[in-house]
Structure formats: C-alpha cells, structure tokens
Amino acid sequence: MTEAVELWLVRHAEARDARPGESDAARALTERGVRGARRLRRALRRLGASFDRLDHSPLLRAVETADVLAPLASATRVNAGLAREPGPEFLSDLASEVARSHVARLALVGHEPWLGQLAFWLVSGWSVREPARQPAWLALEKGGALRLRGEIAPGRMRLEHALDSETVRALARR
Amino acid sequence: MLHLAQRLDELRAHAAIARVGADSRGVHRARATAGRIAAWLDLGGWSVLADDVRWLRRGLARARDLDVIVESAELAPDARAWFARERAAEQARVVVLLDDERFAALLAALAELPEPRGKHVRRALERMQRRSLRAGDALERAVEPLDAAHRLRRRLRRLRHALEWLELPAPVLRAAQTELGELHDRAALLGALERSPFERATRAGRDARANELEGRLASFRLRWPALRGELRRD
C-alpha cells in the first residue's frame, strides 16, 4: 500500500490552433493562455500549494504551462503518459515511482479528456473506458485544476478542490 | 544563433552509438550534447526540462567515467581488465536509460520549443558569467579545492556552451575549462582506483597521481585572479 499523496491535475492553458502543416504538439499558448497560467500560479500560491514534483506532457502547450508553474515545484519531469489516455500501466508506474521517490505532493500538467478520465478513475474506481459515466464536473477547463488526495489507485482518492476559471480568477485577485 | 534541431539530431545519433556500446565516443558525445542543450534551456529562460536533461547526463556519467579510466594509459593490465568488466556491466544501465520513455519524451518536448528571445539570452549570459566568477572566487578560498574546482568547471562549461550557441568565441574560457576537465578526469581516476580491488597494489602510483593533481590544482588557484580578469573581457 502506498502513502497518501496530494495530487494536482492541471489542464494546460489556452493554446492557439495548429497552423497549416504544423503538428498538434507544436501548439503554443496564446497571450491569454500565458496570462491564464500565471493567474493559476497565483491562485495556487494563495492556496499554499507547492509540489515535490511536477510532471508534464511533452506537448508544447503543456510544457509552457508547466514552465509557468515550475516555481512552485522542487523538480519537474516530462512524462509521455500525460499525452495519451491513462491506462493501468500509467497508473501503476506513477504510483510506484511516486512511492520510490517519496513524493508527497505531485502535480500533473496535461490534457483533456484524459485528465478528467484520470480524476474520475482515481475518485470512483470506474473504468476510464466508459467515458459516458464521467460527470461533467470532473472535466477540467483550460488553465483549471483539481486537487485530489489519497493513494494513487482506482477509487482510492477523494476530490478536495476543483478550480474552474472563475475560482482561479477570484483566488488570484485576493 | 545556432539551431536546437541540429543538436537534437546529434543527440539522437550519439545516443544510438552509446546504446550499441562499442564506441566510447557515443556516451561522451551524448553527454556533451546534452550539456549544450542544458545551456540552450538556460538561454531561453526555461525552468522545465532541465531536470530531464540532468537525469540523462547523470545516467550516462558512470559509463563516461569508466570509459576515461579504461582508456587511461597508466593502468596495469589487470586493473584495466577489471574496469573494462565494470564498464561492460554499466552498459546494461545505459541501454535501459536510453530506452526509457522519458528520453523519447524529452526529445519530443525539446523539438517543439521556440528559439530563445533576446532579453532572456542577455539575462542568462550575465547570470552565467556572475556564477562563474563567484565559483572561481570560491575556489581561491576553498578548504576542499577539488570540490570547488568541480563546481567552477561546471559553471565555465555552461557559460562556454551558451557562448557556442551564440557563435561567440571564448578562447580563455575554453582553455580554463579544458584544464579543469583534465583535473576532473585525474580525480575520477584516483577515486575509482581507491574504490577498486587494486588500491594496495597501486598505492605508489596513486600517491604520485594525488601529488600531481594537488600541484596542478594549486597552480590553477594561483592563476585564477589573472584568469578572472581575462574571463570578464573574454
């Protein structure tokens, strides 16, 4: 059994559309997206959030979002598993790696619908293969975040905070 | 300014050679290219991916140190054979590292990064120069000069790599870093011998090497004030 972990799931901020001939991986944050990521950082600071490790997807919009949040993290790590649907292997690798590295506060910066699926899976234990069961409140807005706590295993975490854009704005303004 | 894409191609090529393990230049060059990429990240003001580059460099460090030792002209045949076996065992870890999905993800992420912007570049260069000068001053005062020389070598290397990206020559910097690099290799050889089963058999040789290392380090420390002035102008 692994230790309880504070897990933040963060969706990348607003990104521009792909230009003709450009890959989805190369989509950068818009100026509004950069401002949104900075706002999220301020909001997370207000909540006293800090991370032993911040994992991010290799896609540029997640890399840029993670870069804005990096001052809150002791270490960062690129994680290809965040750029695809989360499966049992991703979860078990993450859980064992987090236990091995004694990470107590972890942030994952990635994409929808996968982060929402992951949150739903961790909270409910229901399969991510059944997205129709996923309630809307677990879908993350761009530049939004969820805080979960518990063991990194299906059905072993509980949702503590859901930061939508309004909440982020309110927290950042305070 | 040079382009990152070219260095990424080089890193892929060196990593493929390192993975085979027949040519020691593969590991050495993969580490060196990763170091240059770390400097590029600094120039761009990136906070992310640096830990991943460090993970790659550290993962290859033992193989590199063993390659230097095995290729040292000073080893007795039995010691060389022993270190060669250690290096062969290390190769399995090199392969695991280079096959790790984290390495592929690092390459993928780097491939999409935009070129550094002017204001980041200027700030980063000033910061690197300040840190290098501070590390050199710390070496002058250091009680443990070998550790301080190691830190200075890394600072100078980062600054030199950054200047390389900008296609700016830095001959004094390069010479100082090369000298410190040789000292580091000597120290690595000494450390490895102390940890090997050959400690007793090679004591006389080890003492001579330790004395030589101390002498060269003392000479570098004496020259630092003059080097400091040249580095500021370099």
Side-chain angles (χ1 to χ4, degrees):
Chain A
M1 179 164 160
T2 55
E3 296 292 311
V5 171
E6 179 181 302
L7 176 67
W8 283 92
L9 302 180
V10 178
R11 188 180 179 192
H12 66 82
E14 182 190 271
R16 61 168 168 73
D17 292 336
R19 295 175 177 137
E22 187 179 66
S23 75
D24 177 62
R27 288 171 52 210
L29 295 187
T30 60
E31 282 185 22
R32 203 165 76 159
V34 173
R35 286 200 300 275
R38 287 178 183 155
R39 208 162 33 236
L40 176 61
R41 183 179 64 198
R42 285 200 298 278
L44 290 172
R45 276 211 170 110
R46 295 276 190 278
L47 291 171
S50 65
F51 318 121
D52 299 319
R53 210 176 79 195
L54 183 154
D55 283 20
H56 59 86
S57 134
L59 308 192
L60 182 56
R61 54 196 184 276
V63 173
E64 289 184 324
T65 304
D67 198 59
V68 174
L69 301 181
L72 304 176
S74 303
T76 70
R77 180 178 175 141
V78 63
N79 187 332
L82 289 166
R84 56 179 178 250
E85 186 180 84
E89 197 183 338
F90 170 77
L91 214 49
S92 64
D93 284 354
L94 188 68
S96 57
E97 222 283 312
V98 159
R100 196 168 50 242
S101 321
H102 304 291
V103 169
R105 293 158 305 166
L106 174 69
L108 304 178
V109 180
H111 311 268
E112 278 292 74
W114 304 315
L115 285 178
Q117 289 178 359
L118 179 62
F120 182 61
W121 196 20
L122 287 168
V123 170
S124 74
W126 287 346
S127 167
V128 291
R129 308 277 172 193
E130 298 169 71
R133 285 179 159 184
Q134 186 181 330
W137 52 265
L138 271 183
L140 281 121
E141 286 182 23
K142 286 173 187 156
L146 299 174
R147 186 171 87 179
L148 291 78
R149 190 182 297 276
E151 189 187 341
I152 298 182
R156 304 299 296 263
M157 299 199 99
R158 66 175 192 279
L159 179 67
E160 291 188 330
H161 280 311
L163 303 187
D164 58 11
S165 52
E166 246 179 75
T167 314
V168 168
R169 268 177 206 284
L171 279 167
R173 260 200 309 267
R174 250 205 261 162
Chain B
M1 182 162 181
L2 298 173
H3 295 294
L4 181 61
Q6 189 188 335
R7 290 290 188 212
L8 290 179
D9 287 345
E10 286 171 18
L11 179 56
R12 283 187 198 95
H14 298 322
I17 295 167
R19 200 186 175 289
V20 174
D23 184 343
S24 64
R25 286 172 298 186
V27 165
H28 173 49
R29 289 178 179 172
R31 287 195 80 233
T33 305
R36 289 184 170 91
I37 290 169
W40 190 94
L41 289 169
D42 269 359
L43 287 174
W46 292 98
S47 300
V48 288
L49 301 175
D51 287 344
D52 303 288
V53 174
R54 198 172 300 121
W55 161 81
L56 176 64
R57 282 181 53 79
R58 282 187 183 160
L60 295 172
R62 182 167 154 73
R64 164 64 183 152
D65 284 348
L66 286 167
D67 282 335
V68 170
I69 292 164
V70 169
E71 289 167 11
S72 162
E74 299 164 40
L75 280 186
D78 55 347
R80 189 185 311 283
W82 189 84
F83 282 113
R85 282 196 297 278
E86 289 282 295
R87 174 63 181 87
E90 184 64 19
Q91 183 58 22
R93 280 186 280 274
V94 170
V95 171
V96 168
L97 180 90
L98 296 174
D99 285 348
D100 195 303
E101 199 178 31
R102 187 176 180 182
F103 179 48
L106 171 63
L107 291 172
L110 288 167
E112 305 301 344
L113 295 187
E115 295 290 321
R117 282 188 245 147
K119 66 171 184 178
H120 283 140
V121 170
R122 201 171 47 251
R123 276 189 212 146
L125 279 178
E126 286 167 0
R127 190 174 57 242
M128 285 181 213
Q129 190 190 34
R130 266 198 318 273
R131 285 178 175 172
S132 297
L133 295 174
R134 268 207 305 267
D137 295 344
L139 171 62
E140 254 194 310
R141 301 185 302 267
V143 181
E144 296 287 342
L146 202 55
D147 292 342
H150 183 52
R151 280 192 289 276
L152 173 61
R153 182 179 64 87
R154 288 190 299 188
R155 295 292 187 204
L156 294 178
R157 183 181 60 205
R158 182 61 61 92
L159 179 57
R160 179 169 73 84
H161 286 161
L163 292 170
E164 273 179 15
W165 282 106
L166 302 166
E167 302 178 84
L168 294 171
V172 173
L173 183 58
R174 189 183 184 89
Q177 192 222 323
T178 303
E179 187 176 346
L180 289 172
E182 285 168 8
L183 289 178
H184 173 72
D185 286 348
R186 303 289 294 169
L189 176 63
L190 277 175
L193 280 172
E194 277 175 23
R195 290 188 297 273
S196 77
F198 304 99
E199 188 196 3
R200 194 173 293 277
T202 58
R203 181 158 290 162
R206 205 184 66 234
D207 288 349
R209 287 190 198 100
N211 286 339
E212 185 216 342
L213 182 64
E214 280 173 22
R216 288 174 67 175
L217 194 50
S219 156
F220 188 92
R221 289 172 84 179
L222 282 174
R223 282 182 287 119
W224 171 250
L227 266 174
R228 186 184 208 283
E230 289 186 58
L231 281 175
R232 288 179 69 104
R233 288 189 296 274
D234 205 354

